[in-house]
Amino acid sequence: MTNTARRNMTDDRSEDLSYENAGGMRSTVTISLKEYDKLREQQRYITDRDLINCIDKIEELVRALRKHIVRSDFE
């Protein structure tokens, strides 16, 4: 095997390893415990405006349906 062929094989292998490592890399973000607790607390609430609008519309429709409910025994 010539030096050029050997060098190309090494370059190819190095390039392959760089792609393998890129997929496995994980970024780490450090935040304070206070910030973490605040983020965890926010997860309990719905903040998306579109979703809130849908929920409001459902509530409105349920109120309209409740007006038509008659609870009685039909025996």
Side-chain angles (χ1 to χ4, degrees):
M1 195 179 280
T2 65
N3 283 340
T4 306
R6 190 173 292 149
R7 191 172 354 170
N8 285 342
M9 286 177 59
T10 304
D11 290 344
D12 290 343
R13 181 72 181 135
S14 298
E15 187 175 351
D16 290 343
L17 286 174
S18 69
Y19 289 118
E20 289 172 15
N21 291 337
M25 296 177 106
R26 293 195 174 114
S27 298
T28 303
V29 177
T30 305
I31 60 172
S32 70
L33 228 85
K34 189 175 184 179
E35 288 175 296
Y36 176 77
D37 289 340
K38 186 177 177 181
L39 289 172
R40 293 285 294 168
E41 181 68 25
Q42 286 176 353
Q43 284 182 329
R44 297 181 183 165
Y45 301 103
I46 297 169
T47 56
D48 182 78
R49 290 187 191 274
D50 292 333
L51 187 54
I52 292 169
N53 288 335
C54 287
I55 292 168
D56 288 342
K57 192 56 146 179
I58 291 169
E59 183 180 17
E60 182 183 323
L61 293 170
V62 168
R63 268 191 264 121
L65 285 172
R66 284 190 185 276
K67 292 177 186 176
H68 300 283
I69 294 175
V70 177
R71 298 182 193 273
S72 61
D73 293 316
F74 295 106
E75 288 183 30

